[in-house]
Amino acid sequence: MSNKYREFTQLNLPSIEQEILAKWDAEQAFEKSIEVREGAVPFVFYEGPPSANGMPGIHHVISRTLKDLVCRYKTMKGFKVSRKGGWDTHGLPIELGVEKELGITKEDIGKKITVEEYNQKCREAVLRFKDKWDDITKKMGYWVDLNDPYITFKNEYIETLWWLLKQLYNKGLLYESVSIQPYSPAAGTGLSSHELNQPGTYKDVKDTSAVAMFKAVRNEKSEFLFKAISNTEQGIKNDELFFLAWTTTPWTLPSNLGLTAGGDIDYVLVKTFNPYSGKPCAVVLAKALLHKYFPAHIDEFEEGGDLYEAINNWLNHDSDEFLIEKSAGLKIQFDGIIKKKQLPHKIVATFKGKDIEECRYEQLLAYEANKETGGDSFRVLVDAFVTTEDGTGIVHTAPAFGADDFKVGKKYGIGILTMVDREGKFVDGLGEFSNRYVKNYKDEKDYVDVNVDICVKLKKENRAFKVEKYEHSYPHCWRTDKPILYYPLDAWFIKTTALKDKMVELNKTINWKPKSTGEGRFGNWLENMVDWNLSRSRFWGTGLPIWKTEDGEEEKCIGTIDELRTEAAKADKELGTHNSQLITHNLDLHKPYVDDIILVSATGKPMKRVPDLIDVWFDSGAMPYAQWGLDYDKVKNGDKYPFKLPAGVEKFEDLYPASFIAEGVDQTRGWFYTLHAISSLVYESVAYKTVVSNGLVLDKNGNKMSKRLGNVVDPFHTISTYGADATRWYLITNASPWDNMKFDIEGIKEVQRKFFGTLYNTYQFFALYANVDDFAFKEAAIPLNERPEIDRWILSSLHTLIKKVNESMDDYEPTQAGRLIEEFVDEHLSNWYVRLCRRRFWKGDYEQDKISAYQTLYECLETVVRLIAPVSPFFSDAVFNNLNAITQRFHAASVHHVDFPAADESLIDTDLEERMQLAQDTSSLVLSLRKKQNIKVRQPLQKILIPVLNTHMKEQLQLIEDLIKTEVNVKEVEYLTADNSFIKKKIKPIFQTLGKKLGAKMKAVAAALGNFTQEQIAELEKETVYNLLIDNEPVPLYLTDVEISSEDVPGWLVANKGSLTVALDVTITPQLVNEGNARELVNRIQKIRKDSGFELTDRIDVQLSGADTLAASISEYKSYICAEILADSLELVQETANGTEVEVNDLLINVQVSKKGG
RNA sequence: UGACCUGUAGCUCAAUGGUGAGAGCAGGAACCUUAUACGUUCAAGGUUAAGAGUUCAAAUCUCUUCAGGUCAACCA
């Protein structure tokens, strides 16, 4: 084995990664990383199964990076982290993909292609891109077990789903009901929301809309309305009072069972006339919509006229004599304004929606068929979904034909009427409308719109207030192009609402990152939970394990394949069915096979499986259990967790619930919900303790990535070009994982250059000199107190970093952790420690100071690579191995097998870190002052002046004085203490503490301080308290409440940062000029050395010409110059043979450098 | 339409309610380097999406509006 640290030729992340990947493969590094933690506390991780039906994208890389880094981190923290992969293989996208490929539609299934063939195609399609997924998984460095993944279409998986469903069934949590779903009568099928979201399904159509008049029944509830239309003592002469409700689907009116108002919406009762018959009436509608039906002003209707009198007679006095009818002239006038829909009106009452709750009305279109409603119908209901944007603010409610209607109808128990059959036509027993299609579903040439006829009938019967064509957007079946109906369809539900409180309570124990998703989006979702509709009418998926007799009287829920076998055999015996031919060893639980199995009921009747498949979300939500499959012995025992256990696991509690899961935020109501629901319902437990939901990956302009826009980022290309580590680092540190991120390749380049480049260079620097000196960490570690201050400082910073990184990682804040590491590597390690210590590595002998430098830098590098290992698994492992190969400090083949660094508090010295910060700030200020005066750093200056505010500050500065002096090239540092009247001081309140104390007086105090004189500041400093007078009240101001800083040192060049002030003496004496020249000359000659390609150790001879004015400098600093440039001689000559022309402080000279023996 | 998230410099992101809103990148100017694809310094860049409110004090809390996003829905 070589005893030299490996030096890279250049930083090439992709090639390093390939090398490491090969090494991992050869050494089984992933498996080993779990083995080394055998017997440790498990950290349970669930892999949300991707669908291998599509290509992996960059957004998959971010969530998998997140999962991977947490798992790697926890492994390094000493947990055993098993990671079983999985594939989601059912679902509509797969069916649609197959249909597209075969050029068929759903209708062709069972006709052009058998269900058997179709499902076979789906089975082949689902893992189509598995190779690509495996490839990206490997290349991005995602450690997950792909050898034994769970696959949702496998029998063992489906069987576990059945078992779970049966648990729910037995608890009475699985039931059959109706739900209102989009339905296409023309195609005879329900439509999924996905199908409804196809482009072009929503079309603008003109429909006949009607504002129908529902006649109120006079009773206790409605009495206040009836009283309001008649305030005469004679009582009411006209009791026609109506609720107005609007519909764009008049065909739903025969199925009307309720009217829904908004509880807090203002309604008015208006006296007016029927716009079609002119008959006086009173109507109720939302106040906000009054002027949609009634003009604010009517021209023809002027005060004093006969018509005015006549109308007022009714509107205001409730006279039973309707004068208009008695005068032909008035009648013509009146009909005129009515025809123009200029309805005279008067508001006689204003009230809230909740005031008319439970008022009753007469059925609008009563026929034989809708006599029995199955509930307490024809009431006014109240619900929040009502708005005053359209219509009348009262919603006609037909529970069969709207999801909201159904919901509110169920709440009030108004029953349900479905007066339209599945073909889209009215049922028998609806008089003239019987058997007519509600839309033109059969393409009848002379189709007469039944909606128009309904409206005509309403007009004739004085039950229409407004009938007009209304243009709106309405969904159409994407296959038949016909309008869909919302229609009640049978479906199976999981009664999640029964366990709602439990689910809400359990959710509060889950650690959500970010918190708001759990409380907000997820919390609200739980609060407004509805029962989970499991049914899907599709082909490729998990079948519902319920068999029913034809009459629907008896049903059976099957929980295992064994049970199915037993029941099937029983049926064969009792009914003579041929199930045994179907249930063979290669039984397939998919359609059509499972549908062919006939079971027998308790009373001996044949039972067929209900044709529904279940929602694929149940598949993935059940993965904590189904990924292991059922253990029959445990099922027989009635174990709580009858699942198989992988080798080395003794109890299911070591696999459940998950310690951590992570997916995109779009899974909140998807996977996160179904995991939570199933776990809560079956086990009353959470399914996961911590969940991180990451945001989307957008393109660099903030647009969603889509194939159509061509802005998708190919992760394969990104990784092969820039490396997985740079990509991962960028994805994690650019923004918090839960924020949407704008993905820009430039960002990866920057990470590569800035972070990895810097770390790489630091390593290279170390390797370069360590190889020269054969440093292999063989010496005992030098005790901290024997190391120089700068070493103690970087180690202190390092351990502060370790502490913070641990905290951030434990809090699932990898972004914070990554940024902290970046800052350390860049600001502290590379640009301060290494820069200031450079000479220690190449100057002098191999003894304590040098060894200390090597040890310190080594420790930093070794620690940093362990810190970055979770995020950047490849580069860290490469550097770790390069280091460890020489020193053998760890007996581990990979950084992923060692422990994560733990902070040693005893190494942390906050004072030291503070004063180094002070040194950096001071240097920065001096450099900035030099810049202002255009004095280069190589020109030595005499001194700087630092006003110190207290003794602590002075002590701190004194300890780093030498450092500052070398860094900024000045000869001395002078301190000005507080009692110095020479400095001009500034006073500023500390708002944070003082504000809390003073409250409202804060402003006045701040103003007073702004006007403080130097004398006042001095007094405060001396007495430590100053009594201010604010609004004639004494306000004591303490020294601790303010920040006093020096603002200016009169006569000096001054710069400030915070409370630090530095003054620089910019006088350059001839003495200083000489020294400056000498240093400048050294610099030029070093450059010549480098350009000439000399070795670091080559000795040289130097001759200078044209440098007479530098003679003084050279003679004074000759030994210094020679030492720096490794020259054995340095002479001034008249002319050089073939020298190089250089410029030393505006002076052109000629330099001849010759290598000794060269 | 609803729920939730986001909106800060040209770009990517910071800023326990505490008062001159900070970095990095890009672009401009200069400098430094026997590790450098580094760095240092300077200048420039902001109505913190808009408006109102609460508060002694708001980028931060509340409300409204606008824009982008996610999920759910689209109904009279």
Side-chain angles (χ1 to χ4, degrees), chain A residues 733-868:
Chain A
T733 56
N734 181 62
S736 282
W738 32 88
D739 287 333
N740 290 346
M741 76 140 15
K742 292 180 188 166
F743 185 90
D744 189 353
I745 221 84
E746 290 301 319
I748 300 186
K749 288 188 194 164
E750 190 184 322
V751 160
Q752 205 184 28
R753 239 189 16 243
K754 207 170 148 56
F755 179 66
F756 289 99
T758 306
L759 189 55
Y760 157 83
N761 281 322
T762 309
Y763 169 78
Q764 284 289 92
F765 173 85
F766 167 80
L768 180 69
Y769 292 107
N771 284 340
V772 170
D773 285 322
D774 283 326
F775 170 78
F777 223 122
K778 293 213 173 63
E779 303 79 12
I782 294 171
L784 193 68
N785 57 15
E786 291 174 28
R787 297 197 196 192
E789 170 135 315
I790 184 115
D791 288 5
R792 295 205 312 276
W793 166 74
I794 192 71
L795 288 172
S796 173
S797 301
L798 179 70
H799 281 266
T800 303
L801 174 73
I802 296 171
K803 192 173 157 190
K804 287 184 185 164
V805 167
N806 271 281
E807 283 164 7
S808 298
M809 292 296 283
D810 286 338
D811 198 21
Y812 296 91
E813 296 275 2
T815 309
Q816 301 301 331
R819 288 176 179 174
L820 288 165
I821 298 169
E822 270 176 356
E823 195 194 342
F824 175 83
V825 167
D826 194 49
E827 305 276 314
H828 293 155
L829 187 60
S830 173
N831 281 310
W832 194 252
Y833 181 75
V834 173
R835 199 161 58 83
L836 294 190
C837 292
R838 245 177 346 216
R839 290 174 85 91
R840 294 170 66 197
F841 292 90
W842 58 264
K843 271 230 153 165
D845 297 326
Y846 189 72
E847 56 192 16
Q848 175 136 333
D849 180 68
K850 201 171 203 180
I851 295 170
S852 176
Y854 277 126
Q855 288 187 347
T856 305
L857 182 54
Y858 185 96
E859 282 163 24
C860 288
L861 284 168
E862 185 192 75
T863 305
V864 166
V865 294
R866 284 186 292 149
L867 289 175
I868 65 170

Side-chain angles (χ1 to χ4, degrees), chain A residues 598-622:
Chain A
I598 311 283
L599 302 183
V600 61
S601 77
T603 59
K605 287 185 211 155
M607 302 174 93
K608 295 193 80 172
R609 198 184 71 80
V610 297
D612 304 34
L613 299 187
I614 63 166
D615 185 359
V616 282
W617 284 114
F618 194 92
D619 285 12
S620 48

Side-chain angles (χ1 to χ4, degrees), chain A residues 162-171 557-559 563:
Chain A
W162 281 16
W163 184 84
L164 291 165
L165 287 167
K166 183 154 187 180
Q167 303 311 303
L168 297 174
Y169 185 85
N170 289 344
K171 288 184 181 185
C557 181
I558 300 295
E563 189 181 351

Side-chain angles (χ1 to χ4, degrees), chain A residues 13 57-58 61 697-702 705 711-731 734 741-754 756:
Chain A
L13 288 175
I58 195 77
V61 176
V697 182
L698 309 170
D699 78 0
K700 64 175 178 179
N701 299 318
M705 288 187 187
N711 58 353
V712 252
V713 173
D714 174 12
F716 293 98
H717 176 256
T718 307
I719 288 175
S720 66
T721 314
Y722 304 101
D725 277 353
T727 307
R728 289 170 60 126
W729 193 270
Y730 167 70
L731 290 171
N734 181 62
M741 76 140 15
K742 292 180 188 166
F743 185 90
D744 189 353
I745 221 84
E746 290 301 319
I748 300 186
K749 288 188 194 164
E750 190 184 322
V751 160
Q752 205 184 28
R753 239 189 16 243
K754 207 170 148 56
F756 289 99

Side-chain angles (χ1 to χ4, degrees), chain A residues 160-176 492-495 498-499 534 544-546 555-560 563 567 618 635 638-640 642 681-683:
Chain A
T160 316
L161 304 184
W162 281 16
W163 184 84
L164 291 165
L165 287 167
K166 183 154 187 180
Q167 303 311 303
L168 297 174
Y169 185 85
N170 289 344
K171 288 184 181 185
L173 296 174
L174 186 61
Y175 67 96
E176 190 179 19
W492 286 80
F493 292 84
I494 294 179
K495 200 183 265 175
L499 270 280
L534 264 191
L544 195 63
I546 291 175
E555 63 187 34
K556 208 167 249 175
C557 181
I558 300 295
T560 62
E563 189 181 351
E567 291 292 330
F618 194 92
V635 174
D639 280 12
K640 188 179 177 193
L681 292 170
V682 178
Y683 291 116

Side-chain angles (χ1 to χ4, degrees), chain A residues 975-1002:
Chain A
Y975 303 98
L976 286 175
T977 44
D979 49 18
N980 192 312
S981 56
F982 182 41
I983 317 166
K984 200 174 153 204
K985 286 180 185 164
K986 193 172 68 175
I987 187 163
K988 198 182 136 191
I990 300 171
F991 282 93
Q992 196 160 358
T993 51
L994 200 57
K996 286 199 175 75
K997 249 195 273 182
L998 296 180
K1001 289 191 194 115
M1002 190 61 231

